[in-house]
Amino acid sequence: MPHTVEWKVRLYLFEDEGTTKARAVLETGTTVLTGHGAVHRDPEHADVPEIGGELAAGRTMHDLDRQLV
């Protein structure tokens, strides 16, 4: 018998003074896991929020990965 479930992930990004932080909340229906990640921009580099967001999100998802495995 096929079995299908849906897991929901909410990803939050916060930027403050050259630091981008991310938090991801995974809801499985029976469990809630929270992952965290952050990146710090080198003051000599250009301020490109999209890059910081992508890196912080990737680190956050990697944190969730470790918890699931």
Side-chain angles (χ1 to χ4, degrees):
M1 173 189 296
H3 178 71
T4 303
V5 296
E6 179 178 336
W7 290 4
K8 297 180 181 182
V9 177
R10 290 187 317 270
L11 179 64
Y12 304 93
L13 297 170
F14 312 91
E15 188 170 336
D16 185 31
E17 297 182 22
T19 299
T20 303
K21 297 179 183 179
R23 178 171 50 97
V25 180
L26 168 65
E27 297 180 22
T28 69
T30 58
T31 304
V32 176
L33 298 173
T34 303
H36 299 275
V39 293
H40 307 281
R41 181 178 57 83
D42 185 323
E44 295 181 13
H45 292 154
D47 186 11
V48 183
E50 295 82 9
I51 294 173
E54 290 171 358
L55 287 171
R59 290 180 180 177
T60 300
M61 298 306 283
H62 184 68
D63 185 32
L64 278 178
D65 169 52
R66 288 186 300 218
Q67 293 178 51
L68 286 167
V69 173

